[in-house]
């Protein structure tokens, strides 16, 4: 079965510094990978995805993610963190890529805290 | 509305009560998903609808859980004889359903229904 792992429960970074939120995956076949963000009392919001093509994927709010096949990783990055980026971030992989089914399997989440 | 709407936002039930959670997806979205998110965990898949057809219910934890989408729009997740372990946030998500298209996997989530079973 497809799965993702987020090894850090929490990431702390100062505003203006670069941030990285880690994700590794385990899939059979080509991976379809996603990042979602959850702000307090809000629903999950799609940030970006990797399906195929360039290994560096750009998404919403200045976030980007780097797909690394050899390391089976899909780390989320941002060059300069904002206090407003503080939220819960989920990595996800699409299950059953051999069908048209869009079911996503989520990681356990990483809380990002950006300090002023 | 513009987004996925879920109601009630908060529900407190006594153990053994039945509850019904409603999801109103984005108009025109073919696919509808229910996820369960326990405290401190990521969302876990419950069930999936394509229009009115329930194509996958493999994530439903027991036969006390039942979901329907009779007209291919609004969906209801029903939990019978609630137990304390059912306490969680229940998330509904919808999407265009274009499995291979550029929007594939881009789910639009509601704010969730937080169920507390006492």
């Amino acid at each position: 079965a497809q799965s993702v792992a987020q090894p850090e429960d929490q990431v702390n970074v100062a505003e203006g510094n670069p941030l990285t939120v880690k994700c590794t995956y385990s899939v059979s076949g080509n991976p379809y990978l996603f990042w979602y963000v959850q702000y307090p009392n809000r629903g999950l919001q799609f940030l970006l995805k990797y399906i195929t093509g360039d290994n560096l994927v750009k998404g919403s709010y200045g976030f980007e993610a780097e797909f690394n096949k050899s390391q089976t990783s899909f780390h989320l990055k941002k060059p300069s963190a904002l206090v407003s980026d503080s939220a819960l971030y989920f990595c996800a992989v699409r299950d059953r890529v051999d069908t048209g089914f869009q079911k996503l399997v989520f990681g356990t989440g990483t809380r990002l805290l950006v300090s002023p | 509305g513009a987004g996925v709407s879920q109601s009630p936002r908060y529900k407190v039930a006594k153990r053994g009560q039945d509850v019904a959670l409603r999801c109103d997806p984005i108009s025109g979205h073919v696919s509808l998903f229910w996820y369960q998110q326990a405290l401190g965990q990521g969302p876990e898949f419950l069930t999936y609808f394509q229009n009115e057809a329930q194509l996958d219910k493999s994530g439903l934890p027991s036969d006390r859980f039942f979901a329907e989408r009779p007209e291919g729009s609004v969906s209801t997740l029903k939990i019978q004889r609630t137990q304390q372990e059912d306490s969680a946030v229940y998330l509904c998500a919808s999407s265009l359903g274009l499995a291979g298209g550029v929007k594939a996997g881009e789910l639009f989530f509601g704010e969730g229904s937080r169920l507390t079973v006492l």
Side-chain angles (χ1 to χ4, degrees):
Chain A
Q2 324 286 59
S3 66
V4 292
Q6 295 182 245
E8 303 155 317
D9 289 337
Q10 184 165 307
V11 170
N12 297 305
V13 65
E15 188 174 34
N17 284 357
L19 69 87
T20 298
V21 182
K22 295 179 180 178
C23 173
T24 58
Y25 64 88
S26 174
V27 302
S28 55
N30 295 322
Y32 284 29
L33 296 160
F34 303 82
W35 277 100
Y36 280 78
V37 60
Q38 187 174 37
Y39 297 102
N41 298 315
R42 301 281 298 277
L44 278 81
Q45 295 178 34
F46 169 81
L47 269 182
L48 51 78
K49 69 181 178 185
Y50 172 83
I51 304 296
T52 186
D54 290 341
N55 290 341
L56 187 64
V57 179
K58 294 189 182 297
S60 306
Y61 312 121
F63 283 92
E64 56 190 27
E66 186 171 10
F67 172 69
N68 188 316
K69 188 173 183 178
S70 63
Q71 297 185 4
T72 62
S73 67
F74 189 55
H75 299 333
L76 181 69
K77 301 181 178 184
K78 187 173 182 180
S80 179
L82 299 172
V83 172
S84 57
D85 293 330
S86 298
L88 194 53
Y89 290 81
F90 291 96
C91 183
V93 64
R94 179 174 147 179
D95 199 15
R96 294 174 58 184
V97 296
D98 57 320
T99 72
F101 196 82
Q102 296 182 65
K103 170 183 167 182
L104 297 183
V105 177
F106 287 86
T108 52
T110 298
R111 185 167 301 281
L112 173 66
L113 288 178
V114 181
S115 55
Chain B
V4 177
S5 177
Q6 291 189 246
S7 61
R9 289 290 314 281
Y10 303 92
K11 176 69 178 178
V12 178
K14 291 183 179 178
R15 188 164 58 93
Q17 280 186 331
D18 298 348
V19 300
L21 308 176
R22 176 189 168 104
C23 173
D24 203 337
I26 294 173
S27 177
H29 277 194
V30 169
S31 295
L32 186 144
F33 301 80
W34 283 99
Y35 280 82
Q36 181 190 58
Q37 187 175 17
L39 190 64
Q41 300 296 315
E44 301 249 352
F45 171 81
L46 293 177
T47 187
Y48 163 67
F49 290 87
Q50 188 173 83
N51 295 308
E52 69 279 1
Q54 189 175 21
L55 298 187
D56 190 321
K57 53 182 180 179
S58 62
L60 296 176
S62 76
D63 58 7
R64 296 186 295 104
F65 286 71
F66 172 77
E68 60 182 5
R69 194 187 186 196
E71 298 179 356
S73 178
V74 171
S75 177
T76 303
L77 176 67
K78 297 179 179 178
I79 309 173
Q80 297 177 324
R81 305 181 303 281
T82 52
Q83 304 294 316
Q84 284 189 324
E85 60 263 28
D86 300 335
S87 296
V89 177
Y90 291 85
L91 301 171
C92 177
S94 69
S95 76
L96 287 169
L98 303 176
V102 294
K103 296 296 185 182
E106 293 182 30
L107 305 186
F108 293 81
F109 282 84
E111 294 181 343
S113 292
R114 182 179 297 276
L115 171 65
T116 302
V117 181
L118 303 177

